Amino acid sequence: MNAVSERKSDNFIMIFILGIYPFIPSRYAVGSVTLQSLSLFCIIAFDIILHFMQRRKYQWHLPGTHNMMGIAVCTLAVGVGFSLIQKMLQDNELGYISFDGEVFLLALIGAFILLGSGTKFHSCYFDYIIYAGLLLSGIYLYFYLFGIESGNLMELPLQGDEDIASYMVLLGTTNVLQYCESRGRYKSFFYASAAFISFFLLFLTQSVSRIGIMILMFIAVPILFRSTVELVKRDMQMLFLYLFLLSNMSLIAEYSNFMSEDFSYSLQNSVYLEMVMAAGGILFLHYWQRIPEGVDTKRLVLRCMRKGYRILFGGLFFLALAVVTGDVEGKFTNRFGVLGDLYERTKMWGVLLLVFTMSISTERLRKNYHPDKPETVKLIILSVVFMVQLFLGDPVPQTYPIYIALMLCALYSKEERRKIYSIKIKKCGEEHLKCRYEKNHNHIK
C-alpha cells in the first residue's frame, strides 16, 4: 500500500509537469511571481513535504549531495539564496523587484530532490506529453489558420515563435520515438498524425536551428537504438514525412492566405531538398533490397546500415557546427543561447555553473546509455535535444521544467536491460543470409 501511495504521488508530479504545466498562463502574476512559477513551486514543495512526512513508509531517500551533481545543485541553491537576500534588502524605491527567477529555480531544485532519488519512469509519461501537446497544437493551429490572436481566446504560456518551436521539438521528438516503438496499427496512426501536426507548426515558426536539430534526431535514432529492420523502417517513414512536408512549405505559403508576408521558404530551396531526398532514397532502397523476405523485422539488426548512419550523422554534425560558427550575424541561431542571458544576469559564475552541470550530466547520460534500455534511450535523446537548444536557441523557460524533469529521469531512473537476440547482415548472398537466419531462428525456438 505504501509503495502504491508513493507511486501515485510520483505520477501526480509527472502529470502536472508534463501535462498540466503547459496550460498555466504565464502572463498572470501573483505579486512579482508569475502564476506558472508559483504553481510549479507550490506543487513540488507540497510533494517534498509529503515525502519527508512519509519517508519511513515510502521507498524514498534524499539524493546524495556528495557527488558532482549534488555539489552543483547545492551551489545553485546557495546562489539563489544570496539573490533572494540581496533583493529583500534592496530599496524598493529603486524600481520593480521580481522574485520570479528565484522561485522558478527553487522549483527546479525541488524537482531534483524528488526525481534524483531514482524514481521509476513509465512509458505512459510520454503519452502525457503527447495528449497535452495535441490540445495545445490544435489551439495554435486554429490561430494560424484563422488569424485569431491567442489573447482573444485564452492566455497561453507559449507566447512567441521561439516558445512554440521549442515545445514542438519536444512534441515531435516524443511522437517519433513512440511511433518507432509502437506496434498496433491505431497507435502508430495516432503517433504519426500527432507528429505531422507538430512538424507543421514547427515549420510555421521558421526556427532554422530547431528544424536542423530535428533532422539530426532522426539520424541519431538508428544509432542509439538497436537498428532493427522495423525501427529503421519506421524512423525513415517519419524522416520522409518530415522532409516531404518541409519541401512543400513554399507551395503552402504560395497558395494559402494564412501565411505571413515574411515567410522565408523558397521554391528553389524546396527543389534542392527534393533532389537530396531522391538521392538519399536511391541509396537507402539499394541497401534495403538486400534484406531477405520473411525474416523477423523486429529482431534482424542492420549493423552495416548503422555504420552508414554514423557517417551521415558525423557529416551533418560538422556541417551544422560550421554553420553555427560562421553565423556571426545570428541569422540562423542565437549563437550564445542561454549563456548570453546568464552572463547578463549573473556574470561568469552562472555561465560556469551551467557548463559544469551540463558536463556532469553528459557524462552520466553516457554511463546510463545502453541500446537494450529503450525508455532510457528515449530520455537521453530528449535530454540531448534540450541541451543543444540551451546553447543555440533563445531562452524558453516555459518548456524548461518539462525538459528538466525528463532529463532528471534520464540521469537517475533505473531500467532493466532487455535480453535481445539479433542477427547481423554480412556481405553474402541473399540465399546464404536467409539460411543463416532460419538456422539461428529455429535454434532460438
Side-chain angles (χ1 to χ4, degrees):
M1 181 64 68
N2 294 328
V4 173
S5 300
E6 183 183 10
R7 187 165 62 250
K8 289 182 179 179
S9 174
D10 294 335
N11 287 342
F12 174 73
I13 286 295
M14 296 302 293
I15 291 173
F16 177 82
I17 295 176
L18 304 180
I20 299 176
Y21 177 82
F23 293 94
I24 302 176
S26 60
R27 291 183 178 178
Y28 296 123
V30 179
S32 62
V33 182
T34 62
L35 188 59
Q36 264 191 339
S37 299
L38 185 61
S39 301
L40 182 65
F41 174 80
C42 291
I43 292 296
I44 290 180
F46 174 79
D47 200 49
I48 290 176
I49 293 172
L50 180 63
H51 276 71
F52 268 106
M53 292 175 62
Q54 303 292 333
R55 63 184 181 276
R56 294 182 179 178
K57 298 180 180 179
Y58 284 180
Q59 300 174 0
W60 178 82
H61 60 276
L62 278 170
T65 57
H66 58 278
N67 53 30
M68 289 296 184
M69 184 61 74
I71 294 173
V73 173
C74 290
T75 304
L76 176 61
V78 172
V80 172
F82 275 119
S83 178
L84 284 172
I85 295 173
Q86 182 182 7
K87 287 186 177 181
M88 289 177 182
L89 297 178
Q90 190 174 347
D91 189 357
N92 293 335
E93 295 181 358
L94 296 178
Y96 177 77
I97 300 176
S98 174
F99 295 95
D100 184 65
E102 287 77 10
V103 173
F104 181 76
L105 289 175
L106 287 175
L108 297 184
I109 293 172
F112 169 78
I113 295 174
L114 284 176
L115 303 176
S117 60
T119 302
K120 182 175 176 57
F121 187 88
H122 300 279
S123 181
C124 63
Y125 294 155
F126 290 122
D127 292 334
Y128 297 158
I129 300 174
I130 295 173
Y131 297 147
L134 266 179
L135 184 55
L136 275 177
S137 298
I139 295 172
Y140 284 112
L141 190 60
Y142 180 80
F143 295 153
Y144 276 114
L145 291 175
F146 296 98
I148 301 175
E149 294 294 334
S150 61
N152 294 336
L153 182 62
M154 62 182 297
E155 297 289 345
L156 294 175
L158 310 179
Q159 300 296 338
D161 285 343
E162 287 295 323
D163 298 358
I164 298 174
S166 178
Y167 191 78
M168 291 307 141
V169 168
L170 169 68
L171 183 59
T173 303
T174 306
N175 276 300
V176 170
L177 296 176
Q178 290 294 86
Y179 176 81
C180 289
E181 193 182 53
S182 64
R183 294 296 175 259
R185 180 170 54 181
Y186 296 108
K187 276 191 173 183
S188 299
F189 178 77
F190 170 76
Y191 292 133
S193 302
F196 178 84
I197 296 173
S198 64
F199 297 162
F200 183 64
L201 284 172
L202 174 61
F203 297 151
L204 290 182
T205 65
Q206 305 181 74
S207 178
V208 178
S209 61
R210 291 182 171 89
I211 292 174
I213 289 172
M214 285 293 295
I215 294 176
L216 288 176
M217 183 276 299
F218 283 111
I219 306 301
V221 167
I223 300 174
L224 297 177
F225 286 95
R226 289 280 182 188
S227 53
T228 62
V229 174
E230 186 68 22
L231 178 100
V232 173
K233 181 184 73 173
R234 286 176 171 267
D235 182 60
M236 288 299 99
Q237 288 173 344
M238 286 289 99
L239 178 58
F240 175 79
L241 176 65
Y242 184 84
L243 295 179
F244 178 78
L245 181 59
L246 179 59
S247 65
N248 284 278
M249 288 303 293
S250 59
L251 296 177
I252 296 174
E254 182 73 21
Y255 296 102
S256 62
N257 57 2
F258 66 91
M259 299 296 185
S260 60
E261 295 181 358
D262 59 345
F263 209 61
S264 61
Y265 295 104
S266 66
L267 185 60
Q268 183 179 10
N269 292 335
S270 298
V271 173
Y272 291 151
L273 179 58
E274 288 176 353
M275 292 174 62
V276 172
M277 289 172 59
I282 293 173
L283 292 175
F284 180 80
L285 292 176
H286 175 72
Y287 187 88
W288 195 260
Q289 291 176 350
R290 297 178 56 197
I291 302 174
E293 297 180 359
V295 299
D296 190 347
T297 59
K298 300 175 186 177
R299 301 174 67 183
L300 185 62
V301 177
L302 306 176
R303 298 182 185 273
C304 292
M305 185 174 284
R306 187 168 181 261
K307 294 179 181 178
Y309 277 109
R310 284 181 173 177
I311 296 173
L312 178 60
F313 182 86
L316 291 177
F317 176 79
F318 283 109
L319 176 63
L321 187 62
V323 171
V324 172
T325 305
D327 187 23
V328 179
E329 298 180 358
K331 294 181 179 179
F332 304 107
T333 62
N334 180 353
R335 297 180 66 231
F336 299 103
V338 177
L339 294 179
D341 186 68
L342 271 179
Y343 183 79
E344 293 180 0
R345 294 172 180 266
T346 65
K347 300 306 178 183
M348 281 305 298
W349 80 266
V351 175
L352 293 176
L353 182 60
L354 177 63
V355 173
F356 179 67
T357 304
M358 292 298 104
S359 301
I360 298 170
S361 300
T362 302
E363 178 61 20
R364 191 174 181 91
L365 291 175
R366 186 190 66 81
K367 291 182 178 179
N368 288 349
Y369 165 75
H370 195 279
D372 295 335
K373 297 161 65 174
E375 303 304 324
T376 302
V377 175
K378 292 179 187 178
L379 292 169
I380 289 174
I381 291 175
L382 288 166
S383 301
V384 174
V385 166
F386 168 57
M387 288 190 286
V388 173
Q389 290 184 78
L390 278 180
F391 291 102
L392 294 183
D394 294 328
V396 187
Q398 286 80 6
T399 59
Y400 285 176
I402 304 174
Y403 277 116
I404 289 175
L406 295 173
M407 187 172 177
L408 288 171
C409 291
L411 292 171
Y412 296 104
S413 64
K414 298 178 181 179
E415 180 183 5
E416 296 294 331
R417 286 175 52 182
R418 295 182 181 180
K419 295 182 179 180
I420 302 295
Y421 175 79
S422 61
I423 305 168
K424 71 176 181 179
I425 294 180
K426 291 185 177 180
K427 294 182 179 180
C428 56
E430 181 176 328
E431 293 298 326
H432 182 212
L433 175 63
K434 190 170 183 179
C435 291
R436 285 179 59 242
Y437 171 81
E438 291 176 349
K439 179 180 178 181
N440 290 328
H441 187 65
N442 295 330
H443 175 69
I444 290 297
K445 289 183 177 180

